[in-house]
Amino acid sequence: MAKKSVASLQTGSKRLSKAIRMEKSPKTGAYMFVEKIMSPDLVNDFLDKK
């Protein structure tokens, strides 16, 4: 399962990161991408989820 953190975003006083994770659908078997914008310290937890 491939995973990648893509960008660092800065808006005002907050620093944010956009993370993209590839997941396999249990229903169809197709791969889909899950994107989320969050604080940089939460990125590793998001990418470690399965």
Side-chain angles (χ1 to χ4, degrees):
M1 200 178 293
K3 47 192 167 184
K4 183 177 183 181
S5 180
V6 172
S8 279
L9 309 170
Q10 292 188 6
T11 57
S13 63
K14 290 189 177 183
R15 189 168 160 252
L16 302 172
S17 293
K18 179 179 180 181
I20 300 175
R21 179 178 68 213
M22 190 168 80
E23 292 183 350
K24 189 172 185 177
S25 172
K27 196 174 202 178
T28 63
Y31 286 96
M32 58 188 172
F33 292 95
V34 178
E35 297 182 20
K36 192 169 182 184
I37 296 175
M38 66 196 83
S39 175
D41 54 339
L42 300 175
V43 171
N44 285 335
D45 293 335
F46 173 75
L47 293 177
D48 287 340
K49 277 188 200 171
K50 293 189 178 183

